[in-house]
Amino acid sequence: MTSSGYGDVHAYSLIEMLFSSLVMVVGKLTFGFVLGNIASTLANLDSQRIEFDDHIDAVKKFMHDQQLPKTLRQRVMTYFSFIWRYNKGISPRSVISELPYCMQGEIQMLLGGDMLSKVTLFRDCDASFFRMLSLKLTHVPFLPGQYILHKGDMGQEMYFVHRGQVDIVPDEQEPEKTISTLQPGDHFGELCIVYHAARRMSVRARDNVEVLILTQRDVADVFRCFPLAERQVQQIGMEVFGEHVRKPHTDS
């Protein structure tokens, strides 16, 4: 090491040799440190994909073991590919889960607060109720042509169209016939978050769609903290959906 030089420049004295050695040692250590950080960064970037691929492998094995039809397997794999492109397999709620509670509420209110306030059942509720309710919203994407819900199924959740468009289909035997198309900001299925009801219509994604989902259990959890809001919602439900409440429940 002490005999190394650069062209015709050599270290001759002891001090020059020590200085040259120190420079080369520091340079080699710095190079190794930088190279190690780059390798670690690349490994961390790949770890998320590896974990997702492990999950995909488990899904493939399950479908193979259960001998599911090939067409269904293809649809499942297409959806998982879409999920990876959409959010790298990470749910938006988990992304903000480590933020302070108030900050989570602020973000969720920006994403879904306006849509919640448009729900007839919640018309008399206050801001605190909406803030807590918004924390329960779950983001779920759908591919074009994929059914979000089927006519006749018992519903336990309502949906808010966050992105894209969805078609209301009265009869899946005639899928080309639609009653209406819902736009971002619209919602459907609100009866099913307070009453057990069967869906009167099917709903299908027209393009790439992202919906926010609110379940009966979510609403019940919030009602425990807001008993007055629960009574108000039940009263409004009787006014708006009275005939469905007294008869076998149906909703779109």
Side-chain angles (χ1 to χ4, degrees):
M1 180 182 289
T2 57
S3 63
S4 299
Y6 305 93
D8 58 350
V9 179
H10 298 274
Y12 294 100
S13 67
L14 179 61
I15 294 178
E16 290 175 343
M17 291 180 183
L18 291 174
F19 179 76
S20 177
S21 299
L22 179 63
V23 169
M24 285 185 283
V25 169
V26 171
K28 292 178 185 297
L29 291 175
T30 302
F31 177 75
F33 176 76
V34 172
L35 191 62
N37 279 342
I38 293 174
S40 176
T41 301
L42 292 176
N44 289 335
L45 290 175
D46 289 338
S47 64
Q48 186 174 327
R49 179 69 196 192
I50 291 173
E51 183 179 351
F52 188 78
D53 286 342
D54 288 342
H55 181 67
I56 294 298
D57 290 340
V59 172
K60 288 181 178 178
K61 185 178 185 305
F62 169 79
M63 293 191 294
H64 179 267
D65 292 343
Q66 300 301 319
Q67 299 181 346
L68 298 183
K70 183 178 180 180
T71 54
L72 180 56
R73 297 188 200 184
Q74 291 174 340
R75 287 168 51 202
V76 170
M77 298 314 301
T78 299
Y79 183 76
F80 274 112
S81 297
F82 173 62
I83 287 292
W84 177 257
R85 296 194 306 270
Y86 169 71
N87 58 11
K88 305 301 181 184
I90 301 176
S91 67
R93 283 178 66 175
S94 66
V95 171
I96 65 172
S97 61
E98 296 182 2
L99 294 175
Y101 182 81
C102 289
M103 191 174 293
Q104 292 183 43
E106 183 177 350
I107 293 173
Q108 288 292 86
M109 279 293 287
L110 287 173
L111 295 176
D114 288 343
M115 290 184 283
L116 286 172
S117 64
K118 295 177 182 177
V119 178
T120 303
L121 290 173
F122 304 145
R123 68 189 181 196
D124 294 333
C125 298
D126 58 23
S128 297
F129 175 85
F130 286 123
R131 190 174 299 108
M132 187 172 183
L133 195 63
S134 69
L135 290 168
K136 302 291 187 179
L137 293 171
T138 302
H139 297 244
V140 179
F142 290 89
L143 289 166
Q146 186 176 2
Y147 279 92
I148 299 173
L149 54 86
H150 294 281
K151 179 179 180 179
D153 288 352
M154 294 302 295
Q156 296 186 1
E157 59 279 311
M158 70 173 299
Y159 301 80
F160 301 87
V161 183
H162 186 51
R163 292 191 180 95
Q165 299 176 319
V166 301
D167 291 326
I168 307 299
V169 183
D171 187 354
E172 292 183 24
Q173 301 301 318
E174 299 179 294
E176 71 283 352
K177 294 183 179 180
T178 61
I179 293 179
S180 62
T181 300
L182 302 184
Q183 307 294 331
D186 293 335
H187 63 270
F188 54 94
E190 63 183 290
L191 173 62
C192 291
I193 62 170
V194 287
Y195 303 108
H196 294 289
R199 307 294 188 181
R200 288 186 299 173
M201 304 288 177
S202 296
V203 180
R204 183 183 60 218
R206 168 171 285 198
D207 47 21
N208 287 336
V209 170
E210 180 184 357
V211 299
L212 306 181
I213 298 178
L214 189 64
T215 68
Q216 280 185 357
R217 180 174 296 181
D218 294 332
V219 177
D221 287 343
V222 177
F223 279 160
R224 292 189 183 97
C225 300
F226 296 89
L228 177 59
E230 180 178 16
R231 292 192 292 271
Q232 291 173 336
V233 168
Q234 289 176 346
Q235 179 61 37
I236 295 172
M238 289 297 298
E239 296 173 359
V240 177
F241 303 116
E243 61 179 288
H244 301 296
V245 174
R246 290 188 293 269
K247 299 177 182 179
H249 306 317
T250 56
D251 184 33
S252 63

